[in-house]
Amino acid sequence: MCGICGYLDYTLSVDAAKVVDDMTAAIAHRGPNGSGTFHQGNLAIGHRRLSIIDLEGGAQPMADESGNIYLTYNGEIYNYQELRKTLESDGYRFRTQSDTEVLLRAYQKWGKNCVEKLEGMFAFAVADYSKQEIFLARDPFGIKPLLYYWDGNRFAFASEFQAIKHIPEWKGEIDLGAMDTYLRFQYITAPKTIYRKTFKLPAGSMMTVRMRDPFRKIETYWKPDFAQKKKRSQADLVDELDACLRDSVKRHLVSDVPFGAFLSGGVDSSLMVAYMADILDEPVRTFSIGFEEDEANELQFARTVAEKYKTQHYEELVHFDALEVLPELVQHFGEPFGDQSAIPTWRVCKLAQKHVPMVISGDGGDELLAGYSSYGRWLKYVERNQPRIRQSGLKKSLAPIIRKFRPNHYPVVADPGRDHRAWNEPLLRFDHPNREILWQEPHRFVADLPDEAFADAFLNSQGEGSLNRAQNCDIQTFMQDDILTKVDIASMRFGLESRPPILDKRVFNLIARIPESMLHNGKIGRDYVGKKPLKDLLARKMGREFAYRQKQGFTLPLDTWLKHDSEKSSIIGEVLNASSAKVANYFDPQAIRSVTTNASSVNKWLLLVLEYWLQTEHSPMSAPAA
């Protein structure tokens, strides 16, 4: 787990080595155990290292014997030992025991197709001087980040915005369309960022950049595929899932340093701890964050798991004064990020880093196994809006005639399960009317701009079921750009590696074959209960009552903090309505006052985060990116 960066100057007017030195220093927190840079011609690359595997031999950038190929890499390859054996049988020789060298040799043998062989989390760049190209890739789920800057004369890449901002051409031009996306969803969807000319390489993508002339090409090498289904009994499914998850956890525990686990007390993290306790010879170190407010506190459930599996358990309470960390948090995220759970995630990472350099997390269970309540609402919408005349047999042939005489009784209805706007609407933070009112008059047009990420995820979904389509959308948007971004930034701020065994290609391939009807309890709307195979599995270990209790979620008790304490609530109003408030450069002051007095706690929070981000930015306004 590390930080990477690089800078390519086509004009040959800038000292690339000096730029990368500055970029590497800016992400020192991601790799406290070492740093390295390499410079040749118009290209320089850098690396910050957090040592997890082969503590002495995995230094980067790493070169092959010819000196033509240089690698800078962030992540872990869990099947590196298997790949090493394959490569050794083909005559490749190794100088180290690191997965870094396995990745380097894999690129030597398979070129860009090496990404199809990898199982793990990664973002890497290969400077291939024999081809005069830079090859970059990001893991299938987007566990590790990869940003890049492109203006036609220069190309730069990095793990975080803090490094990108050190390139000489940096102007920090804000994309108002991306800011509107933030108001909608509390995060910004890939490939966009809050800045023009700066992008996120999407999950499961690879990029080729030429060294001599301005050219870049982005290709998708992996996307979720739910098309193939396999029928089996519920008991057989749970048995198969049990074996698959246990194997994944075991492979994720390969390390040369001590490790622990995040334990919220929920289904996913509890299962991870159960497997770790079964696999390891020593007690698992577990870390939990809680609140005094009952509606957000799951510490009692975390303690139950810790007691059952005899872990070394550590926990902390988060209070309102935790918001004091918001300016630092905003700086590290680099762009507006409004998920409230970033605060407790930040705190649990800080707690864990005091004891271990690596942890296991339960991220991915809700997306891969349809655990969110939003899926129940979605299924209810789809059922309500199904066409009354089924498109088959005699009814299909008679439908046009019937509709001619009774158009209202038999309307022409498109497949509601393909309507991404209907999926989006309940997820919006600021809906369209409130965003339109919020923006100052010259900028209101941005509220009408489409968000292509959601539309693309629906249109390109591999599988016809409406539930799988919604899951596919979550995996490519919310999970990638919110959940995984949050954990990466918070953990790496403290030099802590976080590994999610559920987000493993072998686990996904098993889950993707589960028929939709087996993912939930057969009900829709408010009675929907998702993630059924995982809950049935946990019920075997912790009992049905524990596994099937109501989901609470890992977030701040912000409603309680603000609604029942006028002094705390007034703090947000004072910040947003101050004469020096930066949000007033973009939004109507009267609309801002309305948000601080009448809007939901979530929307107040979004504006507060945006204000703190703007205070650190001081960038000129610009139009949406072309």
Side-chain angles (χ1 to χ4, degrees):
M1 191 70 67
C2 308
I4 64 173
C5 60
Y7 180 77
L8 175 67
D9 177 22
Y10 293 107
T11 69
L12 298 175
S13 61
V14 174
D15 183 352
K18 175 60 169 63
V19 174
V20 166
D21 283 344
D22 293 340
M23 294 176 74
T24 305
I27 53 174
H29 54 277
R30 295 186 68 95
N33 302 131
S35 66
T37 60
F38 171 78
H39 172 227
Q40 182 174 312
N42 61 344
L43 170 68
I45 59 176
H47 187 264
R48 290 293 314 199
R49 188 181 187 207
L50 173 63
S51 302
I52 299 295
I53 294 175
D54 192 2
L55 306 187
E56 300 299 326
Q60 299 182 46
M62 183 177 285
D64 70 345
E65 295 83 353
S66 70
N68 286 324
I69 298 175
Y70 289 81
L71 168 68
T72 183
Y73 150 60
N74 170 28
E76 302 291 345
I77 307 301
Y78 303 125
N79 65 331
Y80 80 97
Q81 293 172 332
E82 300 164 37
L83 290 175
R84 179 177 177 130
K85 291 178 182 178
T86 299
L87 291 163
E88 285 177 330
S89 67
D90 288 340
Y92 288 88
R93 297 293 175 259
F94 289 82
R95 306 184 301 265
T96 74
Q97 298 301 313
S98 68
D99 61 336
T100 303
E101 189 176 7
V102 171
L103 177 55
L104 179 68
R105 303 300 183 193
Y107 175 80
Q108 283 182 295
K109 178 173 175 57
W110 294 298
K112 69 180 184 180
N113 293 328
C114 69
V115 294
E116 298 174 3
K117 310 285 186 180
L118 306 178
E119 295 178 9
M121 54 183 187
F122 54 83
F124 66 85
V126 176
D128 189 337
Y129 286 91
S130 63
K131 295 181 179 179
Q132 288 294 299
E133 291 179 346
I134 310 169
F135 175 71
L136 306 99
R138 190 177 180 196
D139 66 71
F141 296 105
I143 302 170
K144 303 315 301 172
L146 188 53
L147 304 169
Y148 69 94
Y149 171 91
W150 175 271
D151 66 8
N153 291 317
R154 285 100 179 172
F155 169 77
F157 66 88
S159 299
E160 294 186 13
F161 287 100
Q162 295 183 81
I164 294 285
K165 290 180 180 180
H166 279 273
I167 65 175
E169 302 75 29
W170 181 257
K171 295 180 180 178
E173 296 176 303
I174 294 175
D175 178 359
L176 297 187
M179 189 183 289
D180 190 74
T181 297
Y182 164 77
L183 295 175
R184 298 182 198 195
F185 304 115
Q186 78 185 14
Y187 61 92
I188 298 171
T189 52
K192 292 185 294 187
T193 75
I194 192 63
Y195 298 109
R196 301 187 67 182
K197 302 178 184 178
T198 305
F199 308 91
K200 301 162 188 159
L201 185 66
S205 296
M206 54 188 180
M207 174 190 290
T208 303
V209 179
R210 291 178 185 163
M211 293 183 186
R212 291 179 177 172
D213 59 291
F215 172 86
R216 62 188 168 108
K217 180 181 180 182
I218 298 175
E219 302 171 87
T220 299
Y221 71 86
W222 188 91
K223 277 195 174 181
D225 185 352
F226 292 93
Q228 303 299 319
K229 301 299 180 184
K230 176 184 176 182
K231 293 183 179 179
R232 75 274 255 184
S233 69
Q234 187 72 20
D236 288 345
L237 169 59
V238 174
D239 287 342
E240 196 173 348
L241 184 60
D242 188 15
C244 188
L245 282 174
R246 189 184 190 281
D247 177 68
S248 181
V249 171
K250 186 175 182 179
R251 289 187 295 120
H252 280 67
L253 290 175
V254 175
S255 170
D256 293 331
V257 298
F259 39 78
F262 292 146
L263 178 58
S264 69
V267 172
D268 309 323
S269 67
S270 298
L271 271 174
M272 297 301 102
V273 170
Y275 289 121
M276 291 175 71
D278 182 48
I279 294 168
L280 299 174
D281 295 328
E282 67 273 7
V284 181
R285 280 166 276 200
T286 52
F287 308 95
S288 302
I289 291 294
F291 307 90
E292 292 178 336
E293 293 77 12
D294 290 339
E295 72 271 17
N297 191 35
E298 288 191 294
L299 279 181
Q300 58 177 317
F301 302 112
R303 290 168 188 159
T304 299
V305 176
E307 290 170 4
K308 178 177 177 62
Y309 292 103
K310 297 179 174 58
T311 74
Q312 293 181 13
H313 189 58
Y314 305 87
E315 60 183 45
E316 284 186 2
L317 288 177
V318 174
H319 306 280
F320 185 79
D321 59 8
L323 300 192
E324 294 176 359
V325 77
L326 195 53
E328 183 187 2
L329 185 148
V330 166
Q331 178 186 358
H332 278 271
F333 275 90
E335 68 177 356
F337 184 82
D339 188 336
Q340 300 166 38
S341 65
I343 296 285
T345 301
W346 188 272
R347 289 289 295 271
V348 77
C349 289
K350 185 176 182 180
L351 172 63
Q353 190 273 336
K354 296 175 182 177
H355 303 276
V356 294
M358 192 197 88
V359 290
I360 294 294
S361 79
D363 292 316
D366 284 303
E367 292 82 9
L368 268 60
L369 286 129
Y372 296 124
S373 60
S374 55
Y375 297 123
R377 294 194 301 268
W378 170 244
L379 290 177
K380 187 172 184 178
Y381 165 82
V382 172
E383 183 177 87
R384 279 181 174 177
N385 292 278
Q386 287 291 351
R388 296 189 182 183
I389 296 180
R390 303 296 176 184
Q391 299 299 300
S392 61
L394 181 62
K395 288 184 178 180
K396 181 177 181 180
S397 62
L398 293 177
I401 301 173
I402 297 173
R403 290 196 184 101
K404 183 176 181 179
F405 296 101
R406 305 189 69 180
N408 294 328
H409 193 65
Y410 293 109
V412 177
V413 181
D415 180 1
R418 292 188 177 275
D419 187 356
H420 74 276
R421 291 165 298 183
W423 166 251
N424 286 354
E425 192 65 32
L427 305 178
L428 294 177
R429 275 35 180 180
F430 282 91
D431 60 18
H432 182 273
N434 283 311
R435 292 199 320 279
E436 197 168 45
I437 292 171
L438 183 62
W439 283 104
Q440 290 180 1
E441 181 64 36
H443 311 309
R444 286 183 179 166
F445 72 96
V446 300
D448 296 323
L449 297 176
D451 190 279
E452 297 87 353
F454 284 85
D456 290 347
F458 261 70
L459 291 174
N460 299 322
S461 177
Q462 300 296 311
E464 294 302 313
S466 54
L467 179 58
N468 285 162
R469 194 171 295 116
Q471 290 177 266
N472 180 73
C473 189
D474 261 352
I475 290 170
Q476 295 188 54
T477 56
F478 177 64
M479 188 179 81
Q480 173 189 178
D481 298 316
D482 185 318
I483 299 299
L484 297 177
T485 296
K486 171 188 67 182
V487 174
D488 175 81
I489 294 296
S491 61
M492 294 312 299
R493 162 61 184 87
F494 300 104
L496 178 74
E497 174 168 313
S498 175
R499 299 181 178 181
I502 296 175
L503 293 179
D504 178 272
K505 282 201 296 188
R506 299 183 194 185
V507 175
F508 176 82
N509 290 337
L510 166 63
I511 292 174
R513 297 199 305 271
I514 300 174
E516 288 186 359
S517 61
M518 298 183 74
L519 293 176
H520 59 91
N521 63 344
K523 300 180 181 179
I524 61 176
R526 293 181 180 179
D527 296 325
Y528 173 89
V529 176
K531 211 156 55 176
K532 189 175 186 299
L534 218 54
K535 290 181 178 179
D536 286 348
L537 178 52
L538 183 61
R540 292 181 178 182
K541 303 177 185 295
M542 295 294 300
R544 186 173 181 82
E545 183 178 353
F546 184 94
Y548 274 88
R549 72 180 190 276
Q550 186 174 358
K551 181 179 177 64
Q552 286 185 253
F554 188 57
T555 189
L556 297 178
L558 201 59
D559 280 340
T560 301
W561 285 352
L562 299 184
K563 288 182 178 179
H564 303 301
D565 192 320
S566 58
E567 182 178 351
K568 292 175 181 176
S569 183
S570 66
I571 293 175
I572 293 180
E574 290 170 4
V575 172
L576 294 177
N577 294 311
S579 59
S580 59
K582 303 294 183 181
V583 288
N585 294 328
Y586 302 89
F587 306 135
D588 179 79
Q590 184 175 344
I592 295 172
R593 285 193 293 273
S594 178
V595 169
T596 60
T597 55
N598 303 318
S600 67
S601 298
V602 170
N603 286 6
K604 292 177 185 177
W605 178 260
L606 291 184
L607 283 195
L608 180 66
V609 170
L610 183 59
E611 173 61 25
Y612 278 124
W613 178 80
L614 289 168
Q615 288 179 12
T616 66
E617 186 52 32
H618 306 295
S619 296
M621 291 183 292
S622 71

